[in-house]
Amino acid sequence: LLAKLANALMHGVSAHNFALLARLMALLARVAAHSDTNKMTLGNLGVVFGPGIVRVAGGTASPADGAARMQEMRDAARYGTAAVCTLVENYHAVFGGICHQANDVPTLPS
């Protein structure tokens, strides 16, 4: 699954955007490695960064259907949160050999 994710990222975004995403995930991995002092767990990082990083294709709800549109927005935020958590938690598997040396990002605490 992670190999498919890395492959999709490499072929789905430009090289510059992929490098930027790798650098951002490296930074978030560093922040998460100190979550015992900064309180920025994977979940908290996902909530903060997920919706801004991961865009979900336009929904099918009519703009007039406010409840359906809100549900689509909640689903998109949940997806973005999960995606960022997965990328940060599996940074080495997804980005490790591509953009950075292994010692650039600390191992996350269990």
Side-chain angles (χ1 to χ4, degrees):
L1 178 65
L2 291 175
K4 285 183 182 182
L5 177 62
N7 190 40
L9 283 172
M10 286 191 308
H11 293 88
V13 299
S14 71
H16 292 290
N17 286 344
F18 183 81
L20 178 62
L21 181 64
R23 296 297 282 181
L24 179 58
M25 293 303 111
L27 173 65
L28 296 183
R30 285 190 181 117
V31 170
H34 300 284
S35 63
D36 55 332
T37 50
N38 64 25
K39 308 300 184 216
M40 293 305 291
T41 63
L42 287 176
N44 289 342
L45 291 168
V47 167
V48 172
F49 289 93
I53 293 173
V54 179
R55 299 282 184 201
V56 177
T60 58
S62 164
D65 187 355
R69 188 70 187 120
M70 286 300 295
Q71 184 60 46
E72 285 180 347
M73 291 170 56
R74 281 192 296 272
D75 291 344
R78 199 170 15 251
Y79 176 74
T81 297
V84 168
C85 288
T86 299
L87 289 172
V88 172
E89 186 172 35
N90 298 288
Y91 175 82
H92 289 293
V94 177
F95 300 104
I98 300 168
C99 296
H100 307 287
Q101 297 177 3
N103 63 0
D104 280 351
V105 180
T107 302
L108 296 175
S110 312

